[in-house]
Amino acid sequence: MSKVALELKGITKRFGSVVANNNVNLCAYKGEILSLLGENGSGKTTLMNMISGIYYPDEGQIFINGEEAVISSPRDAFDYKIGMIHQHFKLVDVFTAAENIVLGLNEKGGYNIKKATQKVAEIAEKYGFDIDPNKKIHEMSVSEKQTVEIIKVLYRGADILILDEPTAVLTPQETTKLFSVLRNMKADGKTIIIITHKLHEVLALSDRVSVLRKGEYVGTVITAETNESELTEMMVGKKISLNINRSEPKNPKDRLVVKHLNCVNREGVKVLDDVSFTARSGEILGIAGIAGSGQRELLEAIAGLQNVEQGEILYNVPDSDTVENLRDKTPLQIRSLGVRLSFVPEDRLGMGLVGNMDIVDNMLLRSYSKGKSFFLQRKEPKNLADEIIDQLEVVTPSANTPVRRLSGGNVQKVLVGREIAAAPTVLMAAYPVRGLDINSSYTIYNLLNQQKEHGVAVVFVGEDLDVLIELCDRILVIGSGKITGIVDGRTAKKEEIGYLMTQTNGGAENE
C-alpha cells in the first residue's frame, strides 16, 4: 500500500451559523492524483484552504506523513511542504516569472536572480513546463501565469500540491499539456489534489476521487471503477439526467444580420476579419473556437463595446419592418432594444457585479440606468433577486447578502439570471457555465433553451464541444478572427469542429 502523505480526521469549519465543513475524513497517498469533487458551495475550497494555512479548523486533526501537523498560516503549510495554486493568481504584473517565483523567500545572502532563473529552468525541464523565466507577467497568457504559480510552489520544495479548478481558464490543448505535467509530478512521488467538477477530466486524470456534498464527506472511489453518472449521484445526492432537451426552432426569423465585420484592437491587431453570419429568433447559435480567437470581440462589437472598423450589424426589430444598424448606437441604446450580453468573464466580480453590494443592489445596477429613481424601485429588483435565487438555486443566506460572500458559481448564476430576467430579444451568453457544477450547468442550458422557445435569438459561446453539439441548432466556428465554418448542431462531429477551430483561412458558409 502506498504511503499516506496527508490525512484529515474529523475536520469541521464554521463561519458564523454556516457550517462549511462538517466532520470530514480524507486521505491522499504519496505519488497519486486525487480529485476532490463536489458542487459549488460543497466546501471543497474551504477544506483545502485549511490544509494550506489560510483557515484554521474549528475541530479535527491534520496529519502529514503520519505526524500530526498544526497549520495556522501559509508559511506553516510551506514548512510541511504543502503548496496551493488558487483560482485567482497572486502575481506581480511588472515582475518577471523568476522574480515572482523568489518573491518573499528568505534566501541566504539575499537574492541571486541568475541562480534562481537557472533553478526555474531546471524545474521546468524536469516536469515538462514551457516557461520563459525572464518574461514579465503582464505579457503572459493565463496558462503561462498558472505555470508560474505551480513552479513557485515547487521552487519552495512542495511535495503536496493542491490545485483549485486548474482547467477553468485553459483551452483543451493547454489542459492536455497541464495533465501531462501533473502525471510527471506524480511519477516523481508528488501528491496532487485537484479541486474540480469536470467529470470527464476527473476520469481522465485521477487515481481516486473523493466527493463532498454540502460540506460533508460522502466517500472515495477508485477512478477506474466508476463512471460519470455514479459520480454525479454522489455529488448531488440524487440521480440526474445529463440530457439537454433540444427542441426544433419554431418559426425562426433573422434577428441579427452581421455583414463583413472588421475590428482592430488597441494594439492595432486585426481581431475580426470579414465576419458575416445571421442569428435567428427561436434558435441557439453556438460559437466555437480556441480561446482568444475573436469570440469576445465579436460579442462586444454587437453590444457596442468594441470599436468596429468596417461592416454592418443589422437588427430586425420584432413585429415590425424596422431595421436598426447597431453600429450607430451606444451600448445603452443597444441594450434598450433588447440586445443583451451576459459575459461571464475571467474575473466575475470585476466585470459584471459589485462585490460589496448585495444581490438586490446588483439587480438595481441594471434597472436604475433606465432613468428610474434609484431609491423608489427596490421592490422590483428584490422580487427579481428572489426569483433568480429560487429558480437557479443560488446558495445564499438571503438576497441581502453581499455578492463577494457567495461562492464563484453562485455569483455566476446571479450574473446570467439578471440578463435573462431583462426579457431580451437577443441573448448573448459567453461562457455562462464556466466554473459551475454539473447541476447548475444543466439548469443554465435549460434556461437558454427556454429563452429560445420564447422566440429569443440566443448566441452561446461555449468551451465544451460536447455541450455545443448537444445544445445548439447551428455552430459557427471562429479561428484567428475569421469564420472557418458554420455547421449544423444536429449532425456535426466533434472532430470536424476541432479541425475547423485550428483553421485560420475563412471557410465557406454552409448555412
Side-chain angles (χ1 to χ4, degrees), residues 213-448:
R213 183 166 72 234
K214 293 182 178 159
E216 302 201 346
Y217 171 71
V218 178
T220 299
V221 289
I222 292 166
T223 310
E225 296 169 4
T226 188
N227 57 43
E228 287 201 12
S229 56
E230 184 188 359
L231 291 173
T232 306
E233 199 174 331
M234 285 175 77
M235 259 163 62
V236 183
K238 57 178 186 256
K239 272 195 169 27
I240 281 191
S241 115
L242 301 178
N243 286 326
I244 300 171
N245 307 315
R246 171 170 43 200
S247 51
E248 287 295 329
K250 283 191 200 79
N251 190 16
K253 292 190 172 65
D254 291 358
R255 181 67 63 231
L256 203 59
V257 182
V258 173
K259 295 181 178 175
H260 307 296
L261 198 62
N262 287 290
C263 288
V264 172
N265 67 10
R266 288 191 188 95
E267 285 77 48
V269 177
K270 200 168 211 184
V271 285
L272 291 177
D273 188 352
D274 196 28
V275 168
S276 299
F277 69 93
T278 301
R280 303 184 183 124
S281 63
E283 79 163 9
I284 297 181
L285 174 68
I287 298 185
I290 293 166
S293 299
Q295 301 94 315
R296 179 190 200 120
E297 289 81 3
L298 177 57
L299 299 195
E300 289 184 345
I302 295 168
L305 301 168
Q306 173 83 22
N307 198 19
V308 175
E309 276 229 313
Q310 256 177 315
E312 294 181 304
I313 304 165
L314 303 176
Y315 170 71
N316 296 318
V317 179
D319 308 319
S320 83
D321 297 329
T322 317
V323 179
E324 302 269 7
N325 189 353
L326 300 187
R327 227 190 119 172
D328 311 330
K329 305 215 171 327
T330 65
L332 256 166
Q333 289 169 326
I334 293 171
R335 289 180 62 83
S336 64
L337 283 169
V339 178
R340 295 279 171 157
L341 169 58
S342 168
F343 204 110
V344 173
E346 272 87 354
D347 173 10
R348 299 180 180 113
L349 289 178
M351 236 183 96
L353 300 166
V354 179
N356 288 333
M357 284 164 61
D358 65 21
I359 300 176
V360 177
D361 286 337
N362 271 290
M363 297 297 149
L364 272 168
L365 278 179
R366 280 292 191 246
S367 53
Y368 84 88
S369 55
K370 290 179 184 160
K372 294 178 185 172
S373 160
F374 186 63
F375 297 104
L376 300 178
Q377 299 293 334
R378 253 192 101 81
K379 189 167 182 299
E380 195 185 316
K382 171 83 172 87
N383 296 346
L384 179 56
D386 287 338
E387 207 175 298
I388 288 173
I389 288 167
D390 182 51
Q391 203 181 353
L392 287 180
E393 299 176 4
V394 176
V395 181
T396 174
S398 83
N400 301 106
T401 302
V403 167
R404 69 184 154 76
R405 289 185 37 202
L406 303 181
S407 75
N410 287 306
V411 167
Q412 201 155 316
K413 292 182 195 175
V414 173
L415 205 61
V416 177
R418 182 176 66 183
E419 298 309 328
I420 290 177
T425 52
V426 176
L427 176 65
M428 299 185 285
Y431 313 114
V433 299
R434 179 179 274 175
L436 284 186
D437 55 70
I438 199 154
N439 210 6
S440 309
S441 298
Y442 279 81
T443 306
I444 284 184
Y445 300 145
N446 290 322
L447 270 175
L448 293 177

Side-chain angles (χ1 to χ4, degrees), residues 172-173 246 284-291 293 295 460-480 482-505 510:
Q173 290 85 339
R246 171 170 43 200
I284 297 181
L285 174 68
I287 298 185
I290 293 166
S293 299
Q295 301 94 315
F460 170 74
V461 180
E463 292 159 303
D464 189 327
L465 292 184
D466 295 306
V467 169
L468 280 162
I469 288 170
E470 218 182 315
L471 177 70
C472 301
D473 298 294
R474 289 181 304 137
I475 300 164
L476 178 156
V477 188
I478 191 165
S480 303
K482 290 190 174 86
I483 290 183
T484 55
I486 294 179
V487 296
D488 183 326
R490 287 169 174 75
T491 55
K493 295 274 178 290
K494 201 166 153 179
E495 295 69 29
E496 174 191 9
I497 296 174
Y499 170 73
L500 287 169
M501 280 165 74
T502 58
Q503 300 305 296
T504 48
N505 54 327
N510 39 13

